[in-house]
Protein backbone atom coordinates (compact mmCIF):
# COMPACT_ATOMS: atom_id res chain seq x y z
CA UNK A 1 0.00 0.00 0.00
CA UNK A 2 1.11 3.58 -0.51
CA UNK A 3 2.47 4.94 2.70
CA UNK A 4 0.87 8.10 4.06
CA UNK A 5 3.89 10.14 2.88
CA UNK A 6 2.49 11.46 -0.36
CA UNK A 7 4.35 8.81 -2.36
CA UNK A 8 1.83 9.30 -5.13
CA UNK A 9 2.73 12.98 -5.39
CA UNK A 10 6.18 11.93 -6.49
CA UNK A 11 4.55 9.60 -8.96
CA UNK A 12 2.38 12.47 -10.15
CA UNK A 13 5.46 14.60 -10.80
CA UNK A 14 6.97 11.86 -12.88
CA UNK A 15 3.74 11.30 -14.77
CA UNK A 16 3.34 14.99 -15.51
CA UNK A 17 6.76 15.02 -17.13
CA UNK A 18 6.00 11.87 -19.04
CA UNK A 19 2.98 13.44 -20.71
CA UNK A 20 5.55 15.06 -23.00
CA UNK A 21 7.62 11.89 -23.36
CA UNK A 22 4.64 9.75 -24.29
CA UNK A 23 6.26 6.48 -25.24
CA UNK A 24 8.30 6.41 -22.02
CA UNK A 25 5.27 6.80 -19.77
CA UNK A 26 4.77 3.10 -19.15
CA UNK A 27 6.31 -0.34 -19.63
CA UNK A 28 3.73 -1.91 -21.93
CA UNK A 29 1.15 -0.39 -24.26
CA UNK A 30 -1.96 -2.45 -23.52
CA UNK A 31 -4.59 -0.71 -25.64
CA UNK A 32 -4.76 1.91 -28.43
CA UNK A 33 -7.90 2.69 -30.41
CA UNK A 34 -6.67 5.98 -31.86
CA UNK A 35 -8.47 7.99 -29.18
CA UNK A 36 -7.42 6.32 -25.94
CA UNK A 37 -4.11 4.69 -25.03
CA UNK A 38 -3.67 2.52 -21.94
CA UNK A 39 -0.22 1.74 -20.61
CA UNK A 40 0.75 -0.71 -17.88
CA UNK A 41 3.55 0.07 -15.44
CA UNK A 42 5.30 -2.87 -13.89
CA UNK A 43 6.83 -0.88 -11.03
CA UNK A 44 5.81 2.44 -9.44
CA UNK A 45 7.76 4.22 -6.73
CA UNK A 46 5.91 4.26 -3.41
CA UNK A 47 3.61 1.32 -4.17
CA UNK A 48 4.43 -1.60 -1.86
CA UNK A 49 1.91 -4.16 -3.15
CA UNK A 50 2.98 -6.62 -5.82
CA UNK A 51 2.11 -6.22 -9.48
CA UNK A 52 -1.00 -8.17 -10.45
CA UNK A 53 -1.77 -10.22 -13.59
CA UNK A 54 -3.65 -7.96 -15.99
CA UNK A 55 -5.88 -9.12 -18.85
CA UNK A 56 -7.26 -7.33 -21.91
CA UNK A 57 -10.46 -8.91 -23.22
CA UNK A 58 -9.36 -12.19 -21.62
CA UNK A 59 -5.75 -12.17 -22.89
CA UNK A 60 -2.92 -11.82 -20.35
CA UNK A 61 -0.86 -8.65 -20.95
CA UNK A 62 1.60 -9.00 -18.07
CA UNK A 63 1.69 -8.07 -14.39
CA UNK A 64 1.44 -4.42 -13.39
CA UNK A 65 1.19 -2.23 -10.32
CA UNK A 66 -0.63 0.51 -12.18
CA UNK A 67 -2.40 1.52 -15.38
CA UNK A 68 -2.31 4.94 -17.05
CA UNK A 69 -4.97 6.22 -19.46
CA UNK A 70 -4.04 8.89 -22.03
CA UNK A 71 -6.94 10.43 -23.94
CA UNK A 72 -6.58 12.30 -27.26
CA UNK A 73 -7.89 15.85 -27.37
CA UNK A 74 -10.23 16.52 -30.31
CA UNK A 75 -8.45 18.23 -33.19
CA UNK A 76 -5.03 18.07 -31.52
CA UNK A 77 -2.05 15.77 -31.58
CA UNK A 78 -2.04 15.69 -27.80
CA UNK A 79 -2.64 12.72 -25.49
CA UNK A 80 -2.75 14.06 -21.92
CA UNK A 81 -2.83 11.75 -18.94
CA UNK A 82 -6.32 11.64 -17.40
CA UNK A 83 -6.50 8.55 -15.15
CA UNK A 84 -4.01 6.54 -13.07
CA UNK A 85 -5.36 3.27 -11.66
CA UNK A 86 -3.15 1.51 -9.13
CA UNK A 87 -4.49 -1.99 -9.63
CA UNK A 88 -2.16 -3.32 -6.94
CA UNK A 89 -4.01 -1.54 -4.12
CA UNK A 90 -7.24 0.06 -5.45
CA UNK A 91 -6.06 3.70 -5.50
CA UNK A 92 -7.59 5.70 -8.38
CA UNK A 93 -6.45 9.18 -9.43
CA UNK A 94 -8.19 11.34 -11.99
CA UNK A 95 -7.57 14.79 -13.39
CA UNK A 96 -9.00 16.98 -16.16
CA UNK A 97 -7.91 18.02 -19.65
CA UNK A 98 -7.14 21.60 -20.66
CA UNK A 99 -7.50 23.26 -24.06
CA UNK A 100 -3.72 23.69 -24.45
CA UNK A 101 -3.31 19.90 -24.54
CA UNK A 102 -2.13 19.46 -20.95
CA UNK A 103 -3.89 18.28 -17.82
CA UNK A 104 -4.16 19.40 -14.24
CA UNK A 105 -1.68 17.90 -11.80
CA UNK A 106 -2.62 14.72 -9.98
CA UNK A 107 -3.80 15.29 -6.41
CA UNK A 108 -6.60 13.73 -4.36
CA UNK A 109 -6.86 9.93 -4.63
CA UNK A 110 -9.96 7.75 -4.49
CA UNK A 111 -9.45 4.61 -2.43
CA UNK A 112 -11.75 2.47 -4.55
CA UNK A 113 -12.49 -0.21 -1.99
CA UNK A 114 -14.39 -0.94 1.17
CA UNK A 115 -12.26 -0.63 4.32
CA UNK A 116 -13.04 -1.87 7.82
CA UNK A 117 -11.68 -1.59 11.34
CA UNK A 118 -11.38 -4.46 13.80
CA UNK A 119 -9.63 -4.73 17.16
CA UNK A 120 -6.47 -5.25 15.10
CA UNK A 121 -6.76 -1.85 13.43
CA UNK A 122 -7.88 -0.41 10.11
CA UNK A 123 -7.84 -2.79 7.15
CA UNK A 124 -7.43 0.00 4.62
CA UNK A 125 -6.83 -1.47 1.17
CA UNK A 126 -7.03 -5.02 -0.19
CA UNK A 127 -4.16 -6.85 -1.81
CA UNK A 128 -4.81 -6.93 -5.53
CA UNK A 129 -5.08 -10.36 -7.16
CA UNK A 130 -6.05 -9.70 -10.80
CA UNK A 131 -7.06 -6.86 -13.11
CA UNK A 132 -9.27 -7.26 -16.17
CA UNK A 133 -9.76 -4.66 -18.91
CA UNK A 134 -12.82 -4.85 -21.13
CA UNK A 135 -13.21 -2.81 -24.33
CA UNK A 136 -16.09 -1.89 -26.61
CA UNK A 137 -19.70 -1.19 -25.79
CA UNK A 138 -21.20 1.89 -24.21
CA UNK A 139 -18.54 2.01 -21.46
CA UNK A 140 -15.64 2.36 -23.94
CA UNK A 141 -13.23 0.96 -21.35
CA UNK A 142 -13.94 -0.98 -18.16
CA UNK A 143 -11.35 -1.84 -15.49
CA UNK A 144 -12.16 -4.60 -13.00
CA UNK A 145 -9.80 -5.08 -10.05
CA UNK A 146 -10.09 -8.13 -7.83
CA UNK A 147 -8.54 -8.20 -4.37
CA UNK A 148 -8.72 -9.71 -0.92
CA UNK A 149 -8.35 -8.88 2.76
CA UNK A 150 -6.58 -12.10 3.75
CA UNK A 151 -9.12 -14.74 4.75
CA UNK A 152 -11.69 -12.09 5.78
CA UNK A 153 -13.13 -10.93 2.48
CA UNK A 154 -12.80 -10.60 -1.27
CA UNK A 155 -13.23 -7.31 -3.08
CA UNK A 156 -13.99 -6.06 -6.56
CA UNK A 157 -13.63 -2.52 -7.86
CA UNK A 158 -15.08 -1.72 -11.29
CA UNK A 159 -14.32 1.57 -13.07
CA UNK A 160 -15.62 2.70 -16.46
CA UNK A 161 -13.86 5.43 -18.45
CA UNK A 162 -16.11 7.37 -20.87
CA UNK A 163 -14.61 9.96 -23.22
CA UNK A 164 -13.98 13.08 -21.07
CA UNK A 165 -14.85 16.61 -22.22
CA UNK A 166 -12.44 19.47 -21.61
CA UNK A 167 -12.36 20.57 -17.99
CA UNK A 168 -13.99 17.50 -16.44
CA UNK A 169 -13.25 13.79 -16.16
CA UNK A 170 -15.93 11.44 -14.84
CA UNK A 171 -15.39 7.79 -13.94
CA UNK A 172 -18.15 5.45 -12.76
CA UNK A 173 -16.91 3.36 -9.82
CA UNK A 174 -18.54 0.38 -8.13
CA UNK A 175 -16.99 -1.11 -5.00
CA UNK A 176 -17.93 -4.63 -3.88
CA UNK A 177 -17.19 -6.48 -0.63
CA UNK A 178 -17.94 -10.15 0.12
CA UNK A 179 -17.21 -11.48 3.61
CA UNK A 180 -15.61 -14.94 3.62
CA UNK A 181 -15.93 -15.33 7.39
CA UNK A 182 -17.55 -13.36 10.26
CA UNK A 183 -15.79 -10.01 10.80
CA UNK A 184 -16.21 -8.34 14.19
CA UNK A 185 -15.95 -4.58 13.86
CA UNK A 186 -14.27 -2.26 16.38
CA UNK A 187 -17.06 -1.73 18.92
CA UNK A 188 -15.81 1.69 19.99
CA UNK A 189 -15.84 3.13 16.48
CA UNK A 190 -18.80 1.33 14.93
CA UNK A 191 -21.03 3.85 13.16
CA UNK A 192 -18.21 6.40 13.04
CA UNK A 193 -15.02 4.85 11.64
CA UNK A 194 -15.44 1.07 11.39
CA UNK A 195 -16.86 0.24 7.95
CA UNK A 196 -16.07 2.49 4.99
CA UNK A 197 -17.64 2.09 1.55
CA UNK A 198 -15.04 4.29 -0.19
CA UNK A 199 -12.45 6.87 0.87
CA UNK A 200 -10.75 10.00 -0.45
CA UNK A 201 -7.09 10.53 0.44
CA UNK A 202 -5.76 14.08 0.11
CA UNK A 203 -3.66 16.80 1.75
CA UNK A 204 -4.20 20.04 3.66
CA UNK A 205 -0.98 21.41 5.16
CA UNK A 206 -1.97 25.08 5.47
CA UNK A 207 -4.08 27.66 3.60
CA UNK A 208 -1.48 27.85 0.81
CA UNK A 209 -0.34 24.24 0.50
CA UNK A 210 -3.23 21.87 -0.12
CA UNK A 211 -4.88 19.50 -2.54
CA UNK A 212 -8.23 20.22 -0.89
CA UNK A 213 -9.26 23.26 1.13
CA UNK A 214 -12.98 22.64 1.66
CA UNK A 215 -15.49 19.81 2.04
CA UNK A 216 -18.82 20.09 0.28
CA UNK A 217 -21.77 17.71 0.53
CA UNK A 218 -25.50 17.31 -0.09
CA UNK A 219 -27.66 15.95 2.73
CA UNK A 220 -30.73 13.64 2.39
CA UNK A 221 -33.01 16.68 2.28
CA UNK A 222 -31.21 18.03 -0.78
CA UNK A 223 -29.49 20.91 1.01
CA UNK A 224 -25.84 21.64 0.18
CA UNK A 225 -23.25 22.44 2.82
CA UNK A 226 -19.57 23.38 2.88
CA UNK A 227 -16.89 23.32 5.55
CA UNK A 228 -13.69 25.26 4.98
CA UNK A 229 -10.34 24.11 6.31
CA UNK A 230 -8.25 26.81 7.97
CA UNK A 231 -4.92 27.26 9.73
CA UNK A 232 -6.85 26.77 12.99
CA UNK A 233 -8.60 23.58 11.99
CA UNK A 234 -8.24 20.95 14.75
CA UNK A 235 -5.82 18.17 13.85
CA UNK A 236 -5.27 14.59 14.85
CA UNK A 237 -9.00 14.15 15.25
CA UNK A 238 -12.14 13.28 13.35
CA UNK A 239 -13.54 16.16 11.34
CA UNK A 240 -17.08 15.79 12.66
CA UNK A 241 -18.44 14.92 16.10
CA UNK A 242 -20.54 12.30 14.30
CA UNK A 243 -20.78 11.37 10.62
CA UNK A 244 -23.02 13.59 8.49
CA UNK A 245 -25.71 11.60 6.76
CA UNK A 246 -26.08 11.57 2.99
CA UNK A 247 -28.30 9.43 0.79
CA UNK A 248 -28.44 8.04 -2.72
CA UNK A 249 -28.57 11.08 -4.98
CA UNK A 250 -26.33 13.06 -2.63
CA UNK A 251 -22.62 13.69 -2.92
CA UNK A 252 -19.47 14.60 -1.05
CA UNK A 253 -16.50 16.48 -2.46
CA UNK A 254 -12.98 17.54 -1.56
CA UNK A 255 -12.78 20.96 -3.17
CA UNK A 256 -9.50 22.38 -4.44
CA UNK A 257 -9.86 26.10 -3.84
CA UNK A 258 -7.97 28.72 -5.82
CA UNK A 259 -4.76 30.32 -4.60
CA UNK A 260 -2.74 27.22 -3.70
CA UNK A 261 1.02 27.36 -4.10
CA UNK A 262 1.12 23.54 -4.06
CA UNK A 263 0.32 22.22 -7.55
CA UNK A 264 -2.30 24.92 -8.10
CA UNK A 265 -3.95 23.03 -10.98
CA UNK A 266 -4.66 19.78 -9.12
CA UNK A 267 -8.38 18.90 -9.20
CA UNK A 268 -11.40 19.00 -6.98
CA UNK A 269 -12.79 15.46 -6.66
CA UNK A 270 -16.51 14.85 -6.18
CA UNK A 271 -18.19 11.54 -5.33
CA UNK A 272 -21.89 11.25 -6.26
CA UNK A 273 -23.62 8.33 -4.54
CA UNK A 274 -25.54 6.50 -7.27
CA UNK A 275 -26.65 3.32 -5.52
CA UNK A 276 -26.25 0.91 -2.60
CA UNK A 277 -26.87 -2.82 -2.43
CA UNK A 278 -26.94 -5.30 0.47
CA UNK A 279 -26.87 -2.65 3.20
CA UNK A 280 -29.75 -1.42 5.32
CA UNK A 281 -29.82 1.78 7.30
CA UNK A 282 -27.93 5.04 6.90
CA UNK A 283 -24.59 6.12 5.47
CA UNK A 284 -22.70 9.34 6.14
CA UNK A 285 -19.39 11.12 5.69
CA UNK A 286 -16.63 11.28 8.28
CA UNK A 287 -13.03 12.41 7.98
CA UNK A 288 -9.69 12.88 9.67
CA UNK A 289 -7.10 15.67 9.57
CA UNK A 290 -3.72 14.38 10.69
CA UNK A 291 -1.32 16.34 12.87
CA UNK A 292 1.32 16.64 10.16
CA UNK A 293 1.63 19.86 8.16
CA UNK A 294 4.18 18.43 5.72
CA UNK A 295 2.66 18.80 2.23
CA UNK A 296 4.25 15.49 1.26
CA UNK A 297 2.00 13.68 3.74
CA UNK A 298 -1.51 12.46 2.96
CA UNK A 299 -2.94 14.38 5.91
CA UNK A 300 -6.62 14.65 4.93
CA UNK A 301 -9.03 11.74 4.63
CA UNK A 302 -12.76 11.72 3.92
CA UNK A 303 -14.87 8.59 3.67
CA UNK A 304 -18.42 7.26 3.42
CA UNK A 305 -19.28 5.28 6.57
CA UNK A 306 -22.04 2.71 7.06
CA UNK A 307 -23.65 4.25 10.13
CA UNK A 308 -25.82 1.25 10.95
CA UNK A 309 -23.28 -1.49 10.32
CA UNK A 310 -23.83 -4.58 12.50
CA UNK A 311 -21.43 -5.48 15.29
CA UNK A 312 -20.28 -8.45 13.20
CA UNK A 313 -20.34 -8.65 9.41
CA UNK A 314 -21.85 -12.10 8.67
CA UNK A 315 -19.96 -14.56 6.52
CA UNK A 316 -21.33 -14.54 2.99
CA UNK A 317 -22.56 -10.95 3.15
CA UNK A 318 -22.21 -9.06 -0.13
CA UNK A 319 -22.27 -5.25 -0.24
CA UNK A 320 -21.94 -2.88 -3.19
CA UNK A 321 -21.79 0.88 -3.61
CA UNK A 322 -21.78 2.79 -6.91
CA UNK A 323 -20.45 6.31 -7.44
CA UNK A 324 -19.58 8.75 -10.17
CA UNK A 325 -16.15 10.27 -9.56
CA UNK A 326 -15.67 13.69 -11.16
CA UNK A 327 -12.43 15.67 -11.33
CA UNK A 328 -12.72 19.38 -12.15
CA UNK A 329 -10.40 22.42 -11.99
CA UNK A 330 -9.83 24.43 -8.80
CA UNK A 331 -12.53 27.00 -8.13
CA UNK A 332 -13.78 29.58 -5.69
CA UNK A 333 -16.12 27.91 -3.23
CA UNK A 334 -19.49 29.69 -3.10
CA UNK A 335 -21.45 29.67 0.11
CA UNK A 336 -24.23 27.05 -0.17
CA UNK A 337 -27.27 26.64 2.07
CA UNK A 338 -25.10 26.11 5.14
CA UNK A 339 -21.50 27.20 5.64
CA UNK A 340 -19.55 25.58 8.45
CA UNK A 341 -16.14 26.69 9.69
CA UNK A 342 -14.28 25.34 12.68
CA UNK A 343 -14.95 27.58 15.70
CA UNK A 344 -11.45 29.16 15.77
CA UNK A 345 -11.86 30.07 12.12
CA UNK A 346 -15.26 31.65 12.80
CA UNK A 347 -13.82 33.77 15.62
CA UNK A 348 -10.88 34.87 13.47
CA UNK A 349 -13.20 35.85 10.63
CA UNK A 350 -15.46 37.80 12.97
CA UNK A 351 -12.50 39.68 14.45
CA UNK A 352 -11.20 40.51 11.00
CA UNK A 353 -14.56 41.93 9.91
CA UNK A 354 -14.83 43.93 13.09
CA UNK A 355 -11.44 45.54 12.48
CA UNK A 356 -12.42 46.37 8.89
CA UNK A 357 -15.57 48.09 10.14
CA UNK A 358 -13.64 50.23 12.66
Amino acid sequence: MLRQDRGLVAVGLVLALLVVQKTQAADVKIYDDGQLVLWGRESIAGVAEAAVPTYLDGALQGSFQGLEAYDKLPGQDSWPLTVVDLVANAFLRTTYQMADGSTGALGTSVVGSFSYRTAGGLQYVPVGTTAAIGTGGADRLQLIREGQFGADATTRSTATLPDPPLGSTTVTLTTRFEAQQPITLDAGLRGNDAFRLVSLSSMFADPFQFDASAIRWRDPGGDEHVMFLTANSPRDSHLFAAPLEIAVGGYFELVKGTGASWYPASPSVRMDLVGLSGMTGRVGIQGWLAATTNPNDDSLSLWLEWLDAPATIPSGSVYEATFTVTATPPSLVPEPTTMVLFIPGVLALALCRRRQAE
Side-chain angles (χ1 to χ4, degrees):
M1 172 182 119
L2 278 171
R3 295 174 297 127
Q4 296 292 323
D5 63 357
R6 301 290 292 171
L8 264 179
V9 170
V11 177
L13 281 171
V14 174
L15 294 175
L17 294 173
L18 294 178
V19 170
V20 179
Q21 303 172 358
K22 299 173 211 172
T23 59
Q24 300 177 27
D27 300 302
V28 177
K29 183 189 283 188
I30 296 175
Y31 177 74
D32 184 351
D33 67 357
Q35 297 296 316
L36 177 71
V37 174
L38 191 69
W39 289 83
R41 285 180 60 85
E42 295 178 352
S43 179
I44 297 177
V47 178
E49 291 80 8
V52 301
T54 303
Y55 298 81
L56 174 67
D57 295 329
L60 181 64
Q61 303 297 302
S63 292
F64 306 105
Q65 287 186 318
L67 305 173
E68 304 165 8
Y70 295 80
D71 196 277
K72 189 176 188 299
L73 265 68
Q76 296 191 38
D77 185 23
S78 178
W79 301 74
L81 174 70
T82 54
V83 175
V84 176
D85 191 335
L86 298 182
V87 294
N89 62 17
F91 271 68
L92 177 72
R93 307 185 86 193
T94 62
T95 188
Y96 57 92
Q97 299 176 342
M98 295 188 280
D100 64 1
S102 64
T103 59
L106 296 170
T108 296
S109 299
V110 179
V111 184
S113 172
F114 282 74
S115 306
Y116 61 96
R117 191 183 298 274
T118 66
L122 178 64
Q123 313 304 309
Y124 190 38
V125 295
V127 174
T129 53
T130 62
I133 304 160
T135 64
D139 292 333
R140 187 173 71 150
L141 197 73
Q142 184 181 71
L143 308 177
I144 302 175
R145 303 171 292 181
E146 305 278 356
Q148 63 184 54
F149 285 105
D152 279 355
T154 59
T155 64
R156 178 184 299 159
S157 177
T158 303
T160 61
L161 280 60
D163 191 12
L166 288 177
S168 178
T169 297
T170 297
V171 174
T172 299
L173 174 69
T174 298
T175 59
R176 185 179 190 273
F177 182 93
E178 182 173 355
Q180 302 299 303
Q181 61 184 17
I183 303 170
T184 300
L185 301 178
D186 185 317
L189 289 171
R190 187 161 60 93
N192 187 50
D193 186 2
F195 200 79
R196 307 178 183 185
L197 283 61
V198 74
S199 303
L200 292 174
S201 181
S202 191
M203 182 274 292
F204 178 83
D206 58 49
F208 303 100
Q209 299 180 100
F210 56 83
D211 278 326
S213 54
I215 299 166
R216 185 159 47 197
W217 69 95
R218 179 186 294 148
D219 67 25
D223 292 329
E224 293 188 337
H225 311 264
V226 67
M227 182 180 75
F228 293 94
L229 301 174
T230 75
N232 295 316
S233 295
R235 290 183 176 269
D236 216 18
S237 65
H238 287 102
L239 293 176
F240 310 109
L244 304 172
E245 186 178 354
I246 71 168
V248 172
Y251 73 86
F252 55 100
E253 180 180 14
L254 284 181
V255 183
K256 174 84 172 196
T258 57
S261 61
W262 181 268
Y263 299 102
S266 65
S268 299
V269 176
R270 169 170 160 162
M271 306 284 292
D272 283 81
L273 179 57
V274 175
L276 298 171
S277 175
M279 287 162 281
T280 58
R282 303 161 300 142
V283 297
I285 59 169
Q286 180 57 286
W288 182 271
L289 185 60
T292 175
T293 56
N294 184 337
N296 289 304
D297 295 337
D298 280 350
S299 53
L300 175 62
S301 297
L302 186 71
W303 62 87
L304 186 62
E305 180 79 8
W306 185 10
L307 306 184
D308 298 313
T312 299
I313 302 297
S315 178
S317 298
V318 178
Y319 308 123
E320 284 190 352
T322 299
F323 308 88
T324 56
V325 182
T326 305
T328 54
S331 63
L332 291 172
V333 185
E335 297 184 12
T337 305
T338 301
M339 183 177 68
V340 180
L341 291 90
F342 288 114
I343 290 175
V346 174
L347 296 176
L349 180 61
L351 179 60
C352 178
R353 289 178 174 174
R354 180 180 176 182
R355 287 174 177 172
Q356 288 174 346
E358 292 176 348

